């Protein structure tokens, strides 16, 4: 049915449909995760993707930075409202707040113009793309070679079609009299074609680029249509192929796997294969830039661009953003032991682990997260007892205190306002340490903060993580030295705990046979997971569980990622934000 319609277009306006991506086999297996789709993720969902350097992540959404929040380094840029900005980031942040002003050119404004138009025979929304670059006097056509929906989406947005392109059109026969064409390359996130990079080329046999922009009366693909979050309909076979067909990336953010030519990030997103090992982090989980030693890096040879490379400028800005140091041990990893249950920890193995002493005993664990701050479980502490707690860092055996031991008093205890002592919901608390003296900070020797996960997609079920603490053994035996064990993140924990388990706020971890588990006294302590680059995140806080070491009742932990905003409200964003600041 659809094919007939395409042929009609071909006859009427002499455009054909560009080749559909070839998928191996007849029907690609459905790669879309429907439950995730219901969450309506887009390129602005900073739980799934990184924000642009001119944005920051607030409450899970990328929002515009103010221009002064941009790094100061950079060169001048001109916007379409005739204003010169001192950096690309400042211009983009201004545009983000005032979308009518867009990027025009690199360098101060000169009054030269940039224009995109469609040379059409049929509908206004379709035709050959013509551009007049700031750098050139004449308008030129765009080469078909390298023209894909990525660039077509940008061209249509530039022309005032907010949903971008419906499809690219193959226009080999027209216009024969032009001698040269412009090759264009975009990232797909640009708001104007002026931000893409152009090179001048002799047209090859493929001819010139055409596009049909997406309009209100563009009909949905006949069967197997995928509805983008922005309302656009695309063919279902274009979901999870690494190409941002929707324009808001919603077709690539809920994928259980990816089609050929794209790379599957552990966070469930598909990115173009050429982004793998390109030196820029694209997956929030970091897996696109891991194990790159053997991978051939794409040749960095740059053709003779007519226009500046704004994608390179965007990457450069990223390198000026502040970085945070957490989750990386100072010493080279000491004795990496194989998995065993409840192994004794050694000096420097868990430099974020702290003990909370109340009276004569260690009642709970905690995790150092930077500055003067310790994260623990709400059920471990009481606000009015703050002055009776002592926090011990670098402790291994409390019968034989080691020389590195740091002892700190507590200034303040902050318990989550929705902590429920009956259900253990929101079992999370912050402890602010007293400074050792007026002019000193809280820095404790040999202590390293664990990173706070900013997204619940950083680690997936079955990931192997580590718990540690001075808690009781299975037979309720007391323990004096720090022990650790490896556990798996467990999926569908309501199977074990039914309505007592709250997916958004809690996470389960354990082993098949229950041999490794947290227990009484471990509460408040860390469940940490390492990412592909060996950076350690505090994924959970030991909270509750039915007994200890029972395979049918895994340990339940407070899901720290769910409390990123709560923590940052109290400790300050800059202390815990690694990205999207
Ligand atoms: C507790 O009583 C406790 N097996 C902590 C963790 C677990 C059970 C009990 C998980 O503090």
């Amino acid at each position: 049915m659809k094919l007939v319609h395409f042929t009609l277009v071909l006859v009427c306006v002499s455009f054909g449909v560009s080749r559909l991506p070839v998928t191996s086999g007849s029907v690609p297996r459905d790669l879309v995760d429907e439950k995730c789709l219901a969450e309506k993720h887009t390129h602005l969902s900073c739980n799934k993707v990184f924000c642009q350097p001119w944005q920051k992540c607030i409450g899970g959404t990328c929002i515009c930075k103010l221009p002064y929040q941009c790094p100061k380094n950079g060169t001048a840029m001109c916007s379409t409202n005739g204003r010169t900005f001192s950096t690309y980031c400042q211009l983009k942040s201004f545009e983000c707040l005032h979308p009518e002003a867009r990027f025009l050119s690199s360098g101060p404004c000169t009054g030269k113009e940039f224009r995109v138009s469609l040379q059409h025979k049929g509908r206004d929304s379709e035709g050959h793309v013509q551009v007049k670059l700031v750098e050139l006097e004449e308008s030129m056509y765009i080469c078909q070679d390298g023209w894909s929906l990525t660039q077509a989406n940008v061209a249509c947005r530039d022309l005032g079609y907010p949903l971008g392109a419906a499809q690219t059109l193959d226009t080999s026969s027209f216009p024969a009299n032009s001698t040269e064409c412009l090759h264009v390359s975009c990232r797909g996130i640009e708001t104007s074609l002026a931000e893409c990079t152009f090179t001048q080329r002799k047209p090859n046999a493929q001819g010139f680029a055409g596009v049909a922009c997406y309009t209100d009366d563009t009909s949905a693909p006949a069967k197997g249509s995928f509805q983008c979050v922005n309302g656009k309909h695309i063919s279902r076979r274009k979901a999870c192929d690494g190409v941002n067909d929707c324009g808001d990336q919603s077709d690539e953010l809920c994928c259980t796997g990816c089609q050929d030519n794209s790379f599957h990030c552990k966070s469930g997103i598909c990115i173009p294969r050429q982004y793998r090992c390109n030196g820029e982090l694209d997956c929030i989980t970091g897996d696109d830039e891991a194990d790159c030693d053997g991978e051939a890096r794409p040749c960095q040879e740059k053709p003779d661009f007519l226009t500046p490379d704004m994608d390179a400028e965007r990457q450069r800005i990223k390198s000026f953003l502040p970085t945070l140091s957490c989750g990386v041990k100072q010493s080279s990893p000491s004795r990496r032991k194989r998995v065993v249950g409840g192994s004794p920890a050694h000096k420097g193995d868990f430099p974020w682990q702290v003990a909370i002493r109340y009276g004569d005993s260690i009642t709970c664990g905690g995790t150092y997260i930077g500055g003067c701050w310790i994260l623990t479980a709400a059920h471990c502490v009481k606000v009015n007892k703050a002055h009776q707690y002592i926090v011990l860092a670098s402790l291994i055996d409390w019968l034989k205190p080691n020389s590195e031991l740091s002892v700190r008093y507590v200034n303040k205890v902050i318990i989550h306002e929705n902590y429920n002592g009956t259900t253990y919901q929101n079992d999370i608390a912050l402890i602010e340490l007293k400074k050792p003296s007026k002019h000193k900070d809280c820095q404790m020797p040999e202590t390293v903060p664990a990173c706070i996960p900013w997204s619940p997609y950083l680690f997936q079920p079955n990931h192997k993580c580590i718990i540690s603490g001075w808690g009781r053994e299975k037979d309720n035996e007391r323990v004096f030295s720090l022990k650790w064990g490896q556990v798996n993140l467990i999926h569908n924990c309501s199977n074990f705990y039914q309505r007592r388990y709250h997916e958004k706020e809690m996470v389960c971890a354990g082993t098949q046979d229950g041999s490794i588990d947290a227990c009484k006294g471990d509460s408040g302590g860390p469940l940490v997971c390492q990412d592909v680059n060996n950076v350690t995140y505090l994924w959970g806080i030991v909270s509750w569980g039915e007994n200890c070491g029972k395979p049918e009742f895994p340990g339940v932990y407070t899901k720290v990622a769910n409390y990123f905003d709560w923590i940052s409200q109290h400790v300050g964003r800059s202390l815990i934000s690694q990205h999207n600041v």
Side-chain angles (χ1 to χ4, degrees):
M1 196 49 198
K2 202 65 197 165
L3 227 81
V4 176
H5 172 76
F6 283 164
T7 332
L8 271 177
V9 174
L10 181 88
V11 174
C12 304
V13 288
S14 77
F15 294 148
V17 186
S18 70
R19 272 174 297 139
L20 286 167
V22 184
T23 46
S24 49
S26 47
V27 187
R29 103 192 132 88
D30 202 10
L31 303 167
V32 179
D33 171 354
E34 294 291 336
K35 194 171 154 226
C36 166
L37 274 192
E39 293 165 16
K40 301 204 174 296
H41 296 291
T42 69
H43 63 303
L44 298 179
S45 304
C46 34
N47 282 338
K48 280 270 175 183
V49 297
F50 293 121
C51 297
Q52 298 301 330
W54 46 87
Q55 299 168 329
K56 57 185 175 179
C57 176
I58 304 277
T61 307
C62 299
I63 64 156
C64 311
K65 266 184 194 168
L66 297 171
Y68 79 87
Q69 293 169 323
C70 281
K72 301 282 171 282
N73 317 43
T75 51
M77 299 286 157
C78 177
S79 73
T80 52
N81 62 349
R83 248 182 87 171
T84 302
F85 288 84
S86 57
T87 67
Y88 182 48
C89 180
Q90 292 194 8
L91 183 149
K92 292 297 287 182
S93 108
F94 185 85
E95 175 190 319
C96 187
L97 296 157
H98 312 271
E100 66 284 359
R102 294 187 289 176
F103 174 86
L104 179 65
S105 64
S106 173
C109 295
T110 57
K112 290 195 173 164
E113 93 173 317
F114 175 89
R115 196 168 7 92
V116 187
S117 57
L118 287 182
Q119 298 302 308
H120 55 91
K121 291 184 178 172
R123 299 159 60 143
D124 287 356
S125 57
E126 313 186 343
H128 298 100
V129 185
Q130 233 185 10
V131 286
K132 151 72 185 76
L133 298 181
V134 169
E135 290 79 2
L136 296 178
E137 296 304 319
E138 298 284 307
S139 289
M140 290 180 75
Y141 286 104
I142 291 185
C143 320
Q144 172 72 44
D145 165 37
W147 178 252
S148 72
L149 207 67
T150 307
Q151 352 294 323
N153 270 333
V154 179
C156 288
R157 277 200 296 269
D158 201 334
L159 287 159
Y161 298 94
L163 296 184
Q167 64 204 64
T168 58
L169 304 170
D170 169 4
T171 62
S172 46
S173 57
F174 175 89
N177 54 351
S178 276
T179 53
E180 293 207 305
C181 59
L182 293 171
H183 177 271
V184 63
S185 161
C186 309
R187 174 111 183 161
I189 54 165
E190 298 85 351
T191 47
S192 160
L193 214 49
E195 282 176 86
C196 300
T197 35
F198 290 85
T199 35
Q200 205 159 336
R201 293 259 181 94
K202 289 258 184 294
N204 56 20
Q206 287 179 311
F208 300 97
V211 67
C213 294
Y214 198 96
T215 63
D216 288 343
D217 31 291
T218 301
S219 52
K223 59 174 180 184
S225 139
F226 176 94
Q227 188 171 7
C228 307
V229 171
N230 60 17
K232 186 174 170 179
H233 288 267
I234 63 166
S235 159
R236 201 162 176 95
R237 55 204 291 191
K238 293 194 163 196
C240 300
D241 64 352
V243 179
N244 175 7
D245 298 275
C246 285
D248 64 1
Q249 220 180 331
S250 52
D251 52 330
E252 305 300 325
L253 299 180
C254 288
C255 302
T256 54
C258 300
Q259 296 186 49
D260 298 351
N261 254 325
S262 54
F263 177 81
H264 188 234
C265 303
K266 286 192 172 131
S267 46
I269 83 165
C270 298
I271 59 170
R273 182 155 308 272
Q274 62 271 27
Y275 291 1
R276 162 124 181 92
C277 296
N278 69 347
E280 181 180 11
L281 215 54
D282 295 288
C283 307
I284 56 164
T285 37
D287 33 335
D288 58 319
E289 298 297 323
D291 308 318
C292 287
D293 295 347
E295 296 274 324
R297 280 183 186 271
C299 174
Q300 286 298 305
E301 194 192 334
K302 293 265 157 84
D304 272 338
F305 290 142
L306 280 171
T307 55
D309 185 350
M310 300 319 292
D311 194 49
E313 183 65 16
R314 181 187 56 77
Q315 290 182 40
R316 216 163 68 89
I317 297 168
K318 273 194 178 178
S319 72
F320 299 137
L321 294 172
T323 53
L324 189 72
S325 162
C326 61
V328 181
K329 297 179 198 178
Q330 286 161 341
S331 52
S332 53
S334 65
R335 277 177 282 182
R336 270 271 138 254
K337 283 204 147 195
R338 295 278 198 84
V339 188
V340 250
S343 318
H346 300 275
K347 187 176 150 265
D349 282 350
F350 301 97
W352 35 80
Q353 170 94 49
V354 302
I356 300 172
R357 204 177 88 185
Y358 178 70
D360 284 337
S361 49
I362 290 177
T363 50
C364 272
T367 306
Y368 179 62
I369 60 165
C372 292
W373 297 98
I374 304 292
L375 206 53
T376 188
H379 82 259
C380 281
V381 282
K382 291 209 159 60
V383 170
N384 58 6
K385 297 228 165 95
H387 303 294
Q388 298 173 51
Y389 300 119
I390 287 175
V391 171
L392 305 169
S394 303
L395 175 73
I396 299 287
D397 190 328
W398 56 288
L399 293 180
K400 292 178 274 181
N402 38 316
S403 57
E404 302 82 12
L405 186 70
S406 299
V407 181
R408 291 283 187 275
Y409 293 101
V410 172
N411 192 37
K412 187 166 65 175
V413 166
I414 304 169
I415 291 180
H416 195 284
E417 52 281 11
N418 298 326
Y419 165 59
N420 182 328
T422 312
T423 63
Y424 276 32
Q425 284 175 278
N426 308 302
D427 190 11
I428 186 168
L430 280 161
I431 294 176
E432 189 184 29
L433 304 177
K434 262 196 189 133
K435 291 181 178 152
S437 69
K438 220 175 177 181
H439 303 289
K440 284 202 173 134
D441 59 21
C442 288
Q443 190 58 49
M444 296 170 282
E446 320 266 331
T447 304
V448 175
C451 302
I452 302 297
W454 71 93
S455 160
Y457 297 98
L458 288 186
F459 299 98
Q460 304 296 329
N462 297 322
H463 195 95
K464 292 189 177 1
C465 300
I466 289 174
I467 51 174
S468 48
W470 291 268
R472 298 281 170 124
E473 288 288 351
K474 214 170 163 185
D475 42 19
N476 210 23
E477 211 180 300
R478 284 182 72 151
V479 169
F480 300 99
S481 72
L482 183 62
K483 296 250 168 91
W484 67 277
Q486 184 174 265
V487 288
N488 299 312
L489 299 184
I490 295 172
H491 157 76
N492 275 347
C493 208
S494 0
N495 293 348
F496 304 100
Y497 289 113
Q498 286 78 41
R499 310 244 313 258
R500 291 164 72 191
Y501 179 73
H502 298 265
E503 177 69 36
K504 193 166 167 273
E505 306 158 5
M506 300 172 184
V507 59
C508 281
T511 54
Q512 281 280 320
D513 60 356
S515 61
I516 300 174
D517 193 11
C519 201
K520 199 170 153 62
D522 290 322
S523 278
L527 162 72
V528 292
C529 308
Q530 279 197 336
D531 73 3
V532 291
N533 299 305
N534 298 324
V535 176
T536 302
Y537 287 87
L538 180 63
W539 194 244
I541 299 170
V542 178
S543 178
W544 61 278
E546 196 69 46
N547 290 316
C548 307
K550 293 231 157 70
E552 64 277 27
F553 292 117
V556 187
Y557 300 77
T558 309
K559 195 189 265 183
V560 177
N562 185 51
Y563 299 94
F564 183 88
D565 287 328
W566 181 82
I567 299 167
S568 65
Q569 271 167 26
H570 291 287
V571 309
R573 286 178 68 78
S574 59
L575 193 70
I576 59 166
S577 297
Q578 282 175 294
H579 299 283
N580 304 329
V581 278

